[in-house]
Amino acid sequence: PRNDPLVNGVDSDPELAAEVAALRESLGLDDGRRAVLYAPTFATGPKGRPVRLLAPPVDPAVFERELGEEFVLLVRPHYLCRAGIPPGAHAVMRDAGAVPDVTPLLLLADALVTDHSSIMFDFALLDRPIVLHLPDGRDRVPGYFDLERHAPGPITRTEDELVAALAGLDEAEAVHAPRRRAFAARFGEHDRGAAARTVVDRCFGPA
């Protein structure tokens, strides 16, 4: 049910449209630049200890120099950690950790940067660019989902590769859009925008 708005779009729900518009305004996304949502999964460090501070995937100075005229990065940490954005980076980066529901963030984002998080399955329903940034190589663990084969977008493993992928986002669409749509068709085959109604009808009977 939570994916119904991603399939139906904001135009199908005036209240949701107003919520997304208010969120866009609160994040300062009103200057024409595109919003890139960075939303990786919860990470652990040495000895399995949780990483409580999520740093941006690109140095803020590099991001501003290379990408700042076109993009704003929204950093969305897991709810068990917080975003580590330097105060001077506000021109190109925003802390989106306090937004309680990720769905409006997905709806306003023009592109997603994530790692091996399941958020890729949700965002793929919007048919917008996805970059998988995997510097830790967790996707290469035996038995893990084969992202090299099924990835809905480019895989990057260094900061330079990520910057290049974002800078060439539009040019790469000819290659990655078909992969992304095949990914959504395979893993989102049951998302038709009516899941909430189906659950209600099944549990309580049709209205």
Side-chain angles (χ1 to χ4, degrees), residues 36-183:
V36 176
L37 178 64
Y38 176 52
T41 193
F42 187 57
T44 55
K47 299 181 180 180
R49 293 174 180 170
V51 176
R52 298 294 186 184
L53 189 67
L54 176 65
V58 178
D59 179 271
V62 174
F63 192 96
E64 184 168 13
R65 183 180 70 246
E66 301 292 337
L67 303 166
E69 292 186 1
E70 184 175 359
F71 297 110
V72 174
L73 187 71
L74 308 178
V75 180
R76 168 72 174 192
H78 188 277
Y79 66 87
L80 292 176
C81 60
R82 59 188 178 86
I85 302 176
H90 184 72
V92 292
M93 296 183 179
R94 310 282 195 273
D95 182 354
V99 181
D101 182 7
V102 75
T103 300
L105 282 172
L106 295 176
L107 287 166
L108 67 77
D110 297 294
L112 172 72
V113 175
T114 188
D115 48 11
H116 50 283
S117 170
S118 63
I119 199 170
M120 73 177 84
F121 296 95
D122 304 322
F123 194 77
L125 298 172
L126 292 167
D127 194 23
R128 299 173 190 170
I130 300 172
V131 179
L132 301 181
H133 187 53
L134 295 153
D136 57 12
R138 290 189 184 186
D139 61 305
R140 292 173 169 168
V141 175
Y144 191 73
F145 179 66
D146 189 351
L147 283 179
E148 293 281 358
R149 179 181 178 186
H150 300 293
I155 293 177
T156 62
R157 300 193 184 276
T158 68
E159 179 182 286
D160 288 345
E161 290 176 357
L162 177 56
V163 169
L166 290 174
L169 211 57
D170 294 334
E171 293 79 359
E173 273 293 271
V175 173
H176 296 298
R179 288 176 56 88
R180 183 177 65 243
R181 289 162 190 160
F183 181 91

